[in-house]
Amino acid sequence: MKRTLLTGLLLALGAATPAAAHAPLLDCYADGDTMITCEAGYSDGGTSANQVIRVRDKDHRLLFEDRFKDDGTSSFVRPEAAEYHVQFEGDQFHSVIVYSSDIE
């Protein structure tokens, strides 16, 4: 009984580890006075190339939409909106948001 429980626990932990290791990452920063550059990828080294980046204002209106370049970057003109957020949307399970207040 103990061996079965231990085996089940080890299998469950082993199955959970790869999923936890594949998390989306997004960093955005001011690139001069008028541009914002964002770099995206995954914690396991996976690429964000050709995946969607969206910028929305505080009312969720779409301000900018594009796809990350092969090097995992995307640049856009700083929105005039006082508050906005940038979203890297890999798929329905991999999404991350950076708020304008966190962009320096």
Side-chain angles (χ1 to χ4, degrees), residues 50-99:
N50 206 36
Q51 292 187 322
V52 176
I53 178 174
R54 289 188 181 99
V55 179
R56 295 182 183 272
D57 68 12
K58 68 178 182 175
D59 297 320
H60 301 285
R61 287 184 294 241
L62 185 64
L63 304 175
F64 174 80
E65 182 176 270
D66 200 9
R67 294 191 176 268
F68 287 99
K69 294 185 256 179
D70 288 343
D71 65 357
T73 65
S74 179
S75 295
F76 54 91
V77 174
R78 180 187 300 268
E80 292 182 17
E83 295 178 38
Y84 60 92
H85 63 270
V86 181
Q87 181 178 15
F88 162 33
E89 189 169 324
D91 60 31
Q92 66 186 27
F93 302 108
H94 296 99
S95 180
V96 64
I97 292 176
V98 172
Y99 293 92

Side-chain angles (χ1 to χ4, degrees), residues 21-25 40-48 51 88-91 94-95:
H22 184 76
L25 304 171
Y42 291 92
S43 58
D44 65 356
T47 180
S48 62
Q51 292 187 322
F88 162 33
E89 189 169 324
D91 60 31
H94 296 99
S95 180

Side-chain angles (χ1 to χ4, degrees), residues 3-19:
R3 183 176 179 172
T4 304
L5 182 60
L6 181 60
T7 302
L9 180 60
L10 290 174
L11 287 173
L13 289 173
T17 302

